Amino acid sequence: EGVNMSHIAIQGMIATSVGVPGVISALYLLSRIGTKALSIWGFLLIAVASAILAIAWRPVDDSWTLFGLFVLLTFSVNWGPNLTTFVLPQEVFPVEIRATFNGFAAACGKLGALIGIWIFEKISEEFGIVPLMVIVCILNIIGAIISQVCIPDNLWELQHASSLENIVN
C-alpha cells in the first residue's frame, strides 16, 4: 500500500487533536490531585506509553495499532508535564520575581525542546525507534523522580499563604 497524503493528513489531525482531551482532563484533575501529583503521574504515563510503543514496535505489523499507541503517547504528553510546565512557575516563584523567572523557565524549556528535537532525530537515525522510546521512557521516569523530590507537597497552601502575607504587609 502506497503512501496516501490524505491518509497521513487525517492521522496527523487525529494525533494532534488528542492533545485537547489530554489538556482538558489535566485541567480537571489539577485542582483535585495537585500540580505535583499531576506532574508525577504525567511523567509515568509518558514512560508507560513509550515502553509499550518500544515493546510493540517490532512484533506489531499493523500500522493502525502503532498509530493508536502513538495517539496514547500524544495524549500522555499533553496530559501531565505539558500543563504543569505552565502552572508550576506560577505556584513556585514569589510574586516579586514571578514574571522574570517564569520567562526564564519558559526560555529554558524552549532551549531544552530544541536540544531534545536535535538529539531525538540523531538517536532515531543512528539506533532506531525502539532504543529511542526506551530512552524516552527512562528520561520520564527520571522526570517523575525529580518531580517527587523537588516539587513541594503543599504548593497551593504555600502560594496562598505567601499571597495573603503580601496583602497584609
Side-chain angles (χ1 to χ4, degrees), residues 42-79:
F43 278 122
L44 292 176
L45 184 60
I46 295 170
V48 168
S50 300
I52 292 170
L53 196 56
I55 292 167
W57 190 258
R58 294 275 187 242
V60 174
D61 201 23
D62 179 25
S63 65
W64 282 104
T65 303
L66 291 175
F67 175 69
L69 293 172
F70 176 72
V71 167
L72 171 66
L73 181 61
T74 303
F75 176 88
S76 63
V77 165
N78 285 284
W79 184 73

Side-chain angles (χ1 to χ4, degrees), residues 7 9 11 18 20 25 46 48 51 58 66 71 73 76-77 91 94 98-100 104 108 154 165-166:
H7 177 76
Q11 282 188 334
V18 113
V20 174
S25 62
I46 295 170
V48 168
R58 294 275 187 242
L66 291 175
V71 167
L73 181 61
S76 63
V77 165
E91 294 181 344
R98 184 174 296 156
T100 302
F104 180 71
C108 289
N154 54 349
E165 186 177 300
N166 286 336

Side-chain angles (χ1 to χ4, degrees), residues 18-30 75 78-79 83:
V18 113
V20 174
V23 171
I24 291 170
S25 62
L27 284 170
Y28 175 78
L29 286 173
L30 186 62
F75 176 88
N78 285 284
W79 184 73
L83 182 69

